[in-house]
Amino acid sequence: MNIKKLFVSTVLACSMTASILFTNMGISNNTIVYADEKNTSKEPINVAKRSIADIKQYIKNHPANISDSVTYSETPNAESPYNIGKLSNETLQSGINTLNHIRYIAGLSDITLNDTYNERAQAASVVIAADTTSILSHYPKKPSDMSDAIYQLGANGAMSSNIAWGSRYNYTLNDSIVNGWMDDGDPSNIKHLGHRRWILNPSMGATGLGAVLKSKAPNTGTYLAMYAFDKSNTKANEYGVSWPAQTMPVEYFGTDYPWSISFGVSISENTTVKLTNNKTGEVWNFSKNSSDGDFYISNDRYGQIGCVIFRPSDDLSYKSGDSYRVEISNLGNPDIKNEASYNVNFFSLNGDTCANDESIPHTYGNWEVVKTATCSETGLERRICSVCKKEETKTIPLTSHTYGEWVTVKEPTQTENGSRQRTCTICGHIETQILYPESNEKYGDVNRDGKVNSSDAVILKKYLAQMDVFCDKKLADVNHDENITSSDAVILLKYLAGYDVIK
């Protein structure tokens, strides 16, 4: 599943500038009773830990894709004449599979579809879409031409469901589940993460799903609902439910999604969190007094109570192979131990690439020059990976100077050296050469330092390789044929080896 950011909001009085809106309902603190809440000092985390192989096999056995279209066995209508309609079996199955993907990853039991809940959720989506007084509300107004039966069914469903609206017609149910309700990171929802916590509620045993496409203004688009208040799984005993889970596919957790863990008991506002990147050692600390990002404690009963919510201020990009350590302290409830810790290890469902696995080589294109080098400034080349778009750069070395002609500054005499200079036409660099008295000239002394040695052989070799070096052509012509060739280099090397070959 591909992750993309969706804006979510429950504050309907605010200006709605984004295309996706979500709301959810809380319930009173005495609605859900969790198993074993009164056990003394139990371990804070009690969920099944899945392996990568387990998760991949489960998702393979329960196919669903985020792009699966919303289709109907009976077409609903959010305009008069109103019709509740019904989602197709394919859409319902895809939706429940997506929900169970999430619950399985989190270490929870599966949930099933319930016909009564499906009807409530479907009616909720129609009634919410028909309400022209607001975009999205758990308390939709009744259109004057809607029957009481449809309205009551839909209104009851709206009060007990996660609901969503997408302005585009191809907005899918699975998109809403993964990128909307399981994100919940917008300013209106991050303090409680209600949608996420209902989906991850261990006591849920069944749900229902609904959707309708509204084509008539105002607020055209797709409306969706998921029944959330079921608590039929009375044997549920999971707590310490985290998202991201301990073994986490990157496809289900976006860049700026908040982290959360619900303990099933009320926890202290003095709870603190330390998040560590196990690879880099980077640390983020969270508390009510000072946090490296967003931090909230929610003891409201959205699903399971006692929820710690935190999100680093950095926009982290989670890749396959990334590993983080979560350390939570000062939970402050005698029913559980005061500290909890766990690792989150990310992996990819869809086959690792260089985008999410650093051990896989990049597929780079050709090098291209970004900045041309000169004799005074280095240049820059880059190439880009065709898979992950990673950019690699390298420095282009300084080029050789582009000198003008030699200009004699001082002629040599019988007793004093002279000099000459040449200037680079690009950067103005001046090169100076000593001119020795002719009486001191020695053939083979190509650098004119008054000696014939291995340095002259190196310079002559570079000159013949067309490298930009000073080489006195007169003294380099050791065979006196008025040409500077490899023959001169051979003679010079023989001379250095002790042969009397230079006159």
Side-chain angles (χ1 to χ4, degrees):
M1 292 193 179
N2 296 321
I3 297 293
K4 66 178 179 178
K5 173 62 182 166
L6 306 173
F7 177 79
V8 291
S9 177
T10 59
V11 184
L12 301 180
C14 294
S15 173
M16 302 297 187
T17 59
S19 62
I20 309 297
L21 304 175
F22 300 89
T23 67
N24 78 68
M25 286 292 294
I27 58 176
S28 62
N29 285 345
N30 59 4
T31 303
I32 298 176
V33 176
Y34 292 91
D36 291 340
E37 276 193 349
K38 294 185 177 180
N39 286 356
T40 301
S41 297
K42 60 188 178 184
E43 292 294 335
I45 299 174
N46 181 41
V47 293
K49 184 178 179 181
R50 315 296 190 187
S51 69
I52 293 176
D54 290 340
I55 293 172
K56 287 185 173 181
Q57 188 62 49
Y58 182 91
I59 291 177
K60 180 180 179 180
N61 294 342
H62 301 80
N65 194 285
I66 198 167
S67 61
D68 288 347
S69 300
V70 175
T71 59
Y72 305 93
S73 60
E74 181 182 347
T75 304
N77 192 2
E79 300 144 12
S80 183
Y82 301 101
N83 183 40
I84 293 175
K86 186 178 181 181
L87 290 173
S88 67
N89 289 336
E90 291 79 11
T91 294
L92 288 170
Q93 190 61 56
S94 179
I96 195 65
N97 282 356
T98 299
L99 289 169
N100 280 329
H101 290 177
I102 292 165
R103 290 178 63 88
Y104 185 85
I105 293 166
L108 301 176
S109 58
D110 286 358
I111 55 176
T112 60
L113 288 168
N114 177 286
D115 289 341
T116 299
Y117 295 161
N118 282 334
E119 187 178 32
R120 290 181 189 176
Q122 184 60 43
S125 64
V126 170
V127 171
I128 293 167
D131 178 11
T132 59
T133 65
S134 66
I135 295 180
L136 198 65
S137 173
H138 285 290
Y139 304 98
K141 301 286 196 246
K142 179 181 178 295
S144 59
D145 54 352
M146 178 179 282
S147 71
D148 289 341
I150 290 178
Y151 175 73
Q152 288 300 327
L153 184 62
N156 288 336
M159 289 189 292
S160 53
S161 298
N162 285 350
I163 58 177
W165 166 74
S167 62
R168 65 182 189 274
Y169 290 168
N170 62 348
Y171 185 46
T172 69
L173 176 62
N174 295 345
D175 197 349
S176 179
I177 293 170
V178 175
N179 294 326
W181 294 325
M182 286 304 294
D183 172 5
D184 248 7
D186 67 286
S188 297
N189 287 302
I190 191 173
K191 292 182 180 180
H192 300 289
L193 299 187
H195 305 95
R196 178 190 291 183
R197 288 162 65 191
W198 284 122
I199 292 174
L200 296 178
N201 181 10
S203 295
M204 179 181 285
T207 189
L209 302 170
V212 64
L213 174 62
K214 182 183 179 183
S215 58
K216 185 177 179 181
N219 306 326
T220 59
T222 305
Y223 289 79
L224 306 111
M226 170 204 154
Y227 187 82
F229 282 6
D230 177 81
K231 51 179 181 177
S232 60
N233 186 6
T234 57
K235 295 182 180 180
N237 191 34
E238 295 94 350
Y239 44 86
V241 182
S242 65
W243 198 258
Q246 295 182 54
T247 308
M248 189 67 197
V250 293
E251 291 82 1
Y252 285 78
F253 200 74
T255 297
D256 53 357
Y257 287 16
W259 295 52
S260 66
I261 180 168
S262 297
F263 291 100
V265 295
S266 295
I267 57 175
S268 170
E269 292 184 355
N270 294 319
T271 297
T272 63
V273 175
K274 178 181 178 182
L275 177 66
T276 305
N277 185 317
N278 288 330
K279 282 190 172 181
T280 67
E282 188 172 4
V283 174
W284 298 264
N285 290 295
F286 304 87
S287 70
K288 70 176 183 179
N289 296 322
S290 176
S291 288
D292 297 325
D294 297 305
F295 181 66
Y296 303 97
I297 301 295
S298 176
N299 286 310
D300 296 320
R301 288 190 180 272
Y302 294 92
Q304 195 168 63
I305 66 171
C307 186
V308 181
I309 302 162
F310 54 100
R311 177 171 60 187
S313 54
D314 307 314
D315 284 337
L316 301 183
S317 179
Y318 305 103
K319 304 182 295 296
S320 180
D322 285 351
S323 178
Y324 292 82
R325 180 72 172 170
V326 179
E327 297 171 272
I328 303 174
S329 303
N330 303 322
L331 289 168
N333 190 307
D335 290 346
I336 59 174
K337 292 183 178 180
N338 203 39
E339 296 179 347
S341 61
Y342 59 97
N343 286 319
V344 173
N345 297 308
F346 287 95
F347 73 98
S348 175
L349 289 168
N350 297 324
D352 293 331
T353 68
C354 55
N356 52 39
D357 189 338
E358 295 177 356
S359 67
I360 297 177
H362 294 282
T363 305
Y364 286 111
N366 295 326
W367 288 102
E368 60 177 9
V369 176
V370 178
K371 178 186 176 184
T372 302
T374 68
C375 52
S376 59
E377 292 186 358
T378 58
L380 186 69
E381 284 184 298
R382 72 175 179 184
R383 59 180 182 172
I384 299 174
C385 176
S386 60
V387 177
C388 71
K389 308 307 178 186
K390 176 181 172 62
E391 183 177 297
E392 185 178 55
T393 61
K394 68 177 180 180
T395 300
I396 304 174
L398 294 173
T399 62
S400 300
H401 292 289
T402 304
Y403 288 112
E405 296 296 324
W406 285 105
V407 176
T408 299
V409 178
K410 180 184 176 183
E411 293 287 352
T413 68
Q414 292 295 324
T415 59
E416 292 184 354
N417 295 334
S419 66
R420 64 178 180 175
Q421 294 179 339
R422 58 179 180 173
T423 303
C424 177
T425 59
I426 304 298
C427 71
H429 178 266
I430 297 174
E431 183 180 38
T432 300
Q433 177 192 351
I434 297 174
L435 297 178
Y436 296 94
E438 287 191 9
S439 60
N440 292 334
E441 284 184 348
K442 297 178 181 178
Y443 279 98
D445 181 17
V446 300
N447 63 1
R448 278 190 170 272
D449 65 354
K451 297 173 287 186
V452 179
N453 53 30
S454 60
S455 295
D456 298 291
V458 171
I459 290 173
L460 182 54
K461 183 178 180 181
K462 288 183 178 180
Y463 175 80
L464 291 172
Q466 297 184 336
M467 298 177 67
D468 185 22
V469 294
F470 168 72
C471 178
D472 189 294
K473 297 180 180 62
K474 176 184 176 181
L475 300 183
D477 184 18
V478 295
N479 64 2
H480 310 297
D481 66 356
E482 298 184 356
N483 293 303
I484 311 300
T485 65
S486 58
S487 296
D488 297 291
V490 170
I491 293 172
L492 179 56
L493 289 173
K494 286 183 176 181
Y495 175 79
L496 293 173
Y499 293 92
D500 185 17
V501 291
I502 295 181
K503 305 299 182 181

